[in-house]
């Protein structure tokens, strides 16, 4: 009796289904894992994930930046960690050693008091004259400066999120789908 070896695509779909049931969105990770699985099945790969297979796939296409390759490899690395629970021959690609870091965070700019004054001054001058736009931007920038909110958090605020009596903002479903209170 012959046992069918599962395809990489079926393993990837099973992995992603489980992660989604646990509440993960998996937009880019899901896209990468499925792309890797299609590649592995397309070249006729059978057996466990190997580091060399993962690196060969991650380096496609050749004309992109190494950070793109590293992001792709990081996605396969997560999939390989899961697969290693079921198949001890699965190789987990090394972190950032093969293709470099998967992201390069830009150095943040800390605005000086004079830059903040200039930004708020320019906001007050926005058109149309007598309209709400200048007031809206001055208020928005002031809110960001005073609270440290992300722009997306500030733009999603609703009336029920503002408690003027206790001076608290309720920030709902922020990054990683959590909520928090901000004084």
């Amino acid at each position: 009796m012959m046992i069918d070896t599962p395809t990489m695509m079926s393993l990837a779909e099973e992995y992603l289904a489980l992660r989604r049931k646990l509440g993960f969105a998996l937009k880019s990770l899901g896209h990468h894992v499925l792309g890797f699985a299609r590649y592995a099945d397309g070249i006729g790969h059978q057996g466990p994930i190997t580091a060399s297979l993962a690196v060969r796939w991650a380096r496609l296409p050749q004309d992109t930046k190494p950070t793109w390759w590293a992001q792709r490899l990081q996605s396969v690395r997560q999939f390989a960690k899961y697969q290693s629970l079921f198949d001890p021959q699965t190789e987990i690609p090394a972190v950032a050693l093969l293709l470099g870091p998967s992201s390069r965070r830009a150095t943040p700019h800390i605005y000086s008091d004079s830059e903040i004054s200039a930004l708020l001054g320019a906001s007050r001058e926005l058109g149309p004259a007598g309209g709400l736009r200048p007031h809206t931007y001055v208020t928005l920038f002031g809110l960001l400066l005073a609270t440290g909110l992300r722009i997306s958090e500030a733009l999603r605020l609703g009336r029920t999120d503002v408690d003027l009596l206790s001076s608290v903002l309720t920030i709902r479903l922020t990054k990683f789908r959590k909520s928090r209170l901000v004084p």
Side-chain angles (χ1 to χ4, degrees):
M1 183 172 171
M2 197 165 130
I3 298 174
D4 286 336
T5 304
T7 65
M8 194 66 71
M9 185 59 93
S10 66
L11 295 173
E13 287 170 343
E14 176 185 303
Y15 164 71
L16 294 172
L18 174 66
R19 294 285 309 267
R20 287 187 176 110
K21 282 181 185 176
L22 293 173
F24 294 94
L26 306 177
K27 291 178 183 155
S28 63
L29 182 129
H31 175 75
H32 290 320
V33 168
L34 291 174
F36 169 74
R38 276 191 291 278
Y39 171 79
D41 288 344
I43 64 168
H45 178 79
Q46 299 235 330
I49 297 170
T50 64
S52 63
L53 175 68
V55 170
R56 275 197 318 270
W57 172 79
R59 293 188 71 158
L60 297 173
Q62 291 291 313
D63 60 348
T64 60
K65 295 182 180 182
T67 53
W68 173 251
W69 296 340
Q71 288 169 3
R72 289 165 53 99
L73 185 62
Q74 181 61 29
S75 297
V76 174
R77 179 176 156 64
Q78 291 180 21
F79 176 44
K81 280 176 156 179
Y82 171 80
Q83 281 306 121
S84 71
L85 298 171
F86 307 103
D87 186 347
Q89 292 182 328
T90 298
E91 296 175 7
I92 302 170
V95 180
L97 296 177
L98 298 172
L99 300 177
S102 60
S103 65
R104 288 186 172 60
R105 187 176 290 256
T107 304
H109 177 78
I110 309 290
Y111 285 85
S112 67
D113 290 343
S114 62
E115 289 174 316
I116 291 169
S117 294
L119 177 65
L120 293 175
S123 298
R124 284 186 195 92
E125 301 300 318
L126 291 171
L132 285 176
R133 189 171 182 216
H135 301 290
T136 301
Y137 278 93
V138 168
T139 303
L140 176 62
F141 291 138
L143 178 65
L144 295 173
L145 289 164
T147 62
L149 295 179
R150 295 177 180 91
I151 185 70
S152 61
E153 295 170 343
L155 294 175
R156 276 198 314 269
L157 282 173
R159 288 182 185 180
T160 59
D161 298 326
V162 180
D163 183 347
L164 295 175
L165 294 175
S166 60
S167 300
V168 173
L169 297 174
T170 301
I171 311 302
R172 300 178 194 282
L173 298 176
T174 66
K175 194 172 183 181
F176 306 116
R177 295 189 280 175
K178 295 182 179 179
S179 296
R180 69 181 193 279
L181 301 176
V182 176

